[in-house]
Amino acid sequence: MTTDYLVIGSGIAGLTFSVKIAQKFPDRKVVIVTKANEDESNTKYAQGGVAIVSNKEADSFKKHITDTLIAGDGLCDKEVVEMVIKEGPNRLEELLLWGANFDLNDSGKFDLGKEGGHSEYRIIHHKDITGYEIERALLAKAHQLSNISILSHHFAIDLVTNHHLKSSQVKTLSCFGAYVMDQKSNTIFTIKSNNTLLASGGVGYVYGHTTNPVIATGDGIAMAYRAKARIKDMEFVQFHPTALYEAKGESSFLISEAVRGFGAYLRNKSGYRFMPDYDERAELASRDIVSQSIDSELKKSGESHVFLDCTHIDKDAFIKHFPNIYNKCLEHHINIETDWIPVVPASHYLCGGIEVDEKGKTTIDNLFACGECSRTGLHGANRLASNSLLEALVYAHNIYKAQVTSNYDYNEVDIPNWDDAGTSIPKEHILIQHNLKRLQALMRDYVGIVRSNKRLNAAIKHLDLIHEEVEGLYRESKITTALCELRNMINVAHLIISQSLNRAENKGGYFNIDNIK
Ligand code: FAD
Ligand code: SIN
């Protein structure tokens, strides 16, 4: 298959770019491959909203910029922060034009929420299902454009770069598309494209216990890494402080930070409100601080979770703002009017990823990255809440703009087909499951919120053993999605651990006891 634009992923990043470029060039073809149902993504589960300065009387770009820089703990790229925040209102206009709905207050202005690290109310939201609404609107728009094809249940296995070519037709390291598996027929084919956009989302599932859906396996980052793109800041895994506690320890429902912005308190088992002891902003300190504080409380008490107390909040107001959270709690027999919600930190977001410039270009020619898989410099050592959807919108626009002005030059390279000669269907699927569990336990126990050099070094050794076994399976077996995802997660785990070991100073979401001075 050939296309003008190959987009890997159908969350906010992939869809926003696709809609913009397809509208601008009706004669150019955009192919989106996405490995599950077309709407399955981290985007779909976003709750709190999008941080955008809209109330210029109380708020300002300057305040949002300052909050972002403080949260990022000195490691943000200031120019990027300014650019992204100032672009926010334009990108919001576009989302509204495409049909996304956000809550309004009685005066017809945006009903603004607040989250950790924000000095003002500035989070635009659609109840507590903002991502669901954005994904709905973007997919509806994409379906109106006849030059966009969405191939759901299609898994991108690897990028095609110079080293796949029969002869060195191109001198600089470039991307020519990807090898893709149709997951229903299990056939692998090549999509040749002049420009490829990785919009493949985050890595939460590497930890098992995560707010992310199971698709968040870091595929794009692993593909880019294998293709020799520069990957940066992988040590900055963000743990969300308040995932609903469930003993199973797998994907967990999120209790939005906006609930703390609405007045909820964090308490330990004996009812003590501990956050004021850790930070003067108490429950509304930035996420890194709240998660590290909960971790410290749990280590002192030996308990498995703390509690979020909403019992003092007006029930009707709560239901109006957080209907989904209210109902989810009821499903778990938690009545927020009388019961505290058991919560625990869980892996939530990756601040690092594939390094890109302001135009979203990676260190490989013709390869762009956008959204959670990218590292733009906006988040530094810790992302400010609700800055992620904003970042994806702004960079999708920047990449689009770069395409509008660049020369359109269809490449004529000769790409060999995927070769799986000598492999067979894996006989022991259990080995994939077994190694996945080993990997997730390793990341949870050795590479969590608080790290140490001893644990990180031990993690590298254990990971090597898992890597060896899985590479053996990969060489001998016909490709399956589960095997590719496991291999990708091993690459991502390696990057998180090795880049953690390289960081000699604690910053934001990275805390290593051996770095305490
Ligand atoms: P995603 O939305 O994750 O989309 C990735 C896409 O890539 C998916 O379609 C996936 O199937 C596809 N894909 C992945 N690998 C492959 C492959 N190998 N082949 C083909 N397709 C592939 N951020 C905010 O700013 N505000 C919030 O309120 C907020 N709340 C959140 C709540 C939750 C529970 C979670 C999990 C995250 C939240 N975030 C929030 C973070 C934010 O939702 C994500 O960072 C953002 O949606 C990422 O968008 P994306 O387009 O980069 O990736
Ligand atoms: C939340 O609603 O707490 C998540 C917000 C985010 O991750 O930005």
Side-chain angles (χ1 to χ4, degrees):
M1 186 184 287
T2 59
T3 181
D4 300 314
Y5 299 98
L6 170 62
V7 175
I8 300 173
S10 56
I12 188 170
L15 289 175
T16 304
F17 170 78
S18 301
V19 164
K20 293 190 75 113
I21 205 81
Q23 269 183 331
K24 177 81 185 171
F25 299 112
D27 56 328
R28 293 188 190 171
K29 194 168 141 195
V30 182
V31 172
I32 304 177
V33 295
T34 190
K35 68 177 173 176
N37 289 340
E38 61 180 13
D39 68 340
E40 188 58 349
S41 56
N42 276 3
T43 301
K44 180 180 165 185
Y45 299 95
Q47 295 188 354
V50 197
I52 292 180
V53 175
S54 64
N55 172 8
K56 292 265 180 58
E57 281 155 32
D59 201 4
S60 65
F61 289 142
K62 192 161 174 233
K63 284 185 188 172
H64 189 181
I65 290 167
T66 305
D67 293 346
T68 301
L69 293 173
I70 293 173
D73 205 6
L75 294 191
C76 300
D77 180 327
K78 194 157 183 272
E79 276 178 29
V80 167
V81 173
E82 287 177 359
M83 180 275 290
V84 170
I85 285 166
K86 289 180 181 168
E87 269 295 307
N90 296 331
R91 305 287 62 88
L92 174 65
E93 281 301 312
E94 227 158 37
L95 262 189
L96 293 169
L97 275 178
W98 294 337
N101 294 304
F102 299 103
D103 293 355
L104 302 177
N105 61 23
D106 294 340
S107 350
K109 299 208 166 119
F110 288 117
D111 177 53
L112 300 176
K114 194 171 188 187
E115 292 179 282
H118 287 274
S119 56
E120 291 295 341
Y121 284 81
R122 67 167 69 97
I123 316 295
I124 287 161
H125 60 97
H126 180 101
K127 304 199 185 305
D128 53 355
I129 50 166
T130 309
Y132 185 88
E133 171 59 12
I134 292 176
E135 185 73 20
R136 179 203 64 73
L138 287 172
L139 276 171
K141 188 75 204 163
H143 284 300
Q144 286 168 12
L145 296 162
S146 58
N147 52 337
I148 297 183
S149 311
I150 304 183
L151 305 182
S152 56
H153 299 283
H154 279 68
F155 183 89
I157 302 169
D158 255 322
L159 298 169
V160 180
T161 56
N162 309 46
H163 85 269
H164 294 97
L165 304 185
K166 287 182 185 133
S167 58
S168 58
Q169 295 136 307
V170 181
K171 293 282 171 268
T172 52
L173 182 57
S174 308
C175 177
F176 308 104
Y179 290 114
V180 171
M181 177 169 51
D182 174 341
Q183 292 160 288
K184 293 207 167 139
S185 65
N186 271 337
T187 46
I188 297 173
F189 62 104
T190 312
I191 301 186
K192 187 172 162 185
S193 179
N194 200 44
N195 291 289
T196 301
L197 174 66
L198 284 167
S200 48
V203 306
Y205 199 56
V206 176
Y207 280 85
H209 182 231
T210 176
T211 63
N212 295 187
V214 295
I215 50 116
T217 52
D219 300 341
I221 296 171
M223 279 188 267
Y225 172 62
R226 290 194 292 270
K228 307 222 176 322
R230 203 174 302 137
I231 314 287
K232 208 171 164 187
D233 290 350
M234 294 294 286
E235 65 274 35
F236 298 119
V237 174
Q238 183 169 73
F239 291 83
H240 196 292
T242 55
L244 180 66
Y245 171 73
E246 293 171 87
K248 64 185 173 65
E250 292 168 1
S251 281
S252 289
F253 181 73
L254 180 75
I255 309 292
S256 174
E257 196 154 289
V259 173
R260 273 175 283 133
F262 211 66
Y265 299 138
L266 279 164
R267 299 189 187 280
N268 62 21
K269 193 182 175 193
S270 54
Y272 181 66
R273 188 181 162 209
F274 54 88
M275 270 318 297
D277 295 348
Y278 291 92
D279 193 287
E280 60 184 16
R281 294 167 294 175
E283 281 82 2
L284 286 180
S286 56
R287 232 167 243 184
D288 50 342
I289 293 170
V290 182
S291 288
Q292 285 163 14
S293 307
I294 295 175
D295 188 76
S296 154
E297 286 293 306
L298 295 179
K299 283 195 173 124
K300 274 192 279 183
S301 66
E303 299 291 334
S304 51
H305 55 278
V306 293
F307 295 91
L308 195 64
D309 175 6
C310 307
T311 55
H312 52 288
I313 298 176
D314 177 71
K315 183 184 164 194
D316 292 336
F318 189 98
I319 295 174
K320 185 167 173 238
H321 281 84
F322 307 112
N324 192 39
I325 294 175
Y326 179 78
N327 286 325
K328 195 68 169 185
C329 285
L330 280 185
E331 273 172 33
H332 285 77
H333 311 290
I334 302 159
N335 177 354
I336 60 100
E337 209 179 5
T338 47
D339 306 324
W340 297 343
I341 309 171
V343 290
V344 68
S347 126
H348 179 63
Y349 181 82
L350 180 69
C351 300
I354 307 159
E355 190 182 309
V356 293
D357 65 14
E358 275 206 25
K359 293 174 178 161
K361 188 183 167 301
T362 68
T363 50
I364 298 181
D365 281 355
N366 307 341
L367 180 67
F368 298 81
C370 186
E372 191 165 340
C373 68
S374 69
R375 183 271 179 204
T376 63
L378 174 68
H379 309 307
N382 174 56
R383 173 177 66 100
L384 183 68
S386 288
N387 266 356
S388 169
L389 296 172
L390 171 67
E391 179 191 53
L393 290 171
V394 172
Y395 272 83
H397 175 74
N398 289 3
I399 299 167
Y400 152 81
K401 264 196 326 196
Q403 294 298 314
V404 169
T405 50
S406 73
N407 285 332
Y408 185 65
D409 170 30
Y410 197 80
N411 65 69
E412 289 299 332
V413 291
D414 189 11
I415 303 172
N417 290 334
W418 181 262
D419 181 8
D420 58 3
T423 60
S424 55
I425 308 278
K427 290 187 192 70
E428 292 200 275
H429 191 76
I430 188 72
L431 284 181
I432 298 173
Q433 273 308 310
H434 171 67
N435 278 303
L436 172 63
K437 293 289 165 224
R438 278 170 81 194
L439 173 70
Q440 291 174 330
L442 174 77
M443 294 305 283
R444 183 192 62 222
D445 297 338
Y446 290 75
V447 200
I449 296 176
V450 174
R451 301 180 197 162
S452 72
N453 290 342
K454 190 172 167 194
R455 282 183 195 226
L456 290 171
N457 281 312
I460 283 280
K461 284 195 191 132
H462 290 302
L463 187 68
D464 281 348
L465 297 176
I466 302 175
H467 176 250
E468 204 175 304
E469 192 166 328
V470 172
E471 280 304 303
L473 281 175
Y474 189 81
R475 273 193 303 275
E476 296 156 9
S477 315
K478 290 239 179 290
I479 301 291
T480 65
T481 304
L483 180 55
C484 289
E485 287 181 335
L486 176 58
R487 187 168 178 249
N488 290 337
M489 285 189 277
I490 291 169
N491 285 169
V492 166
H494 170 77
L495 286 161
I496 296 173
I497 300 167
S498 56
Q499 297 194 4
S500 292
L501 279 166
N502 286 342
R503 174 154 294 285
E505 195 185 5
N506 291 338
K507 283 277 176 194
Y510 183 72
F511 189 80
N512 181 331
I513 53 173
D514 294 310
N515 290 347
I516 300 172
K517 302 257 160 38

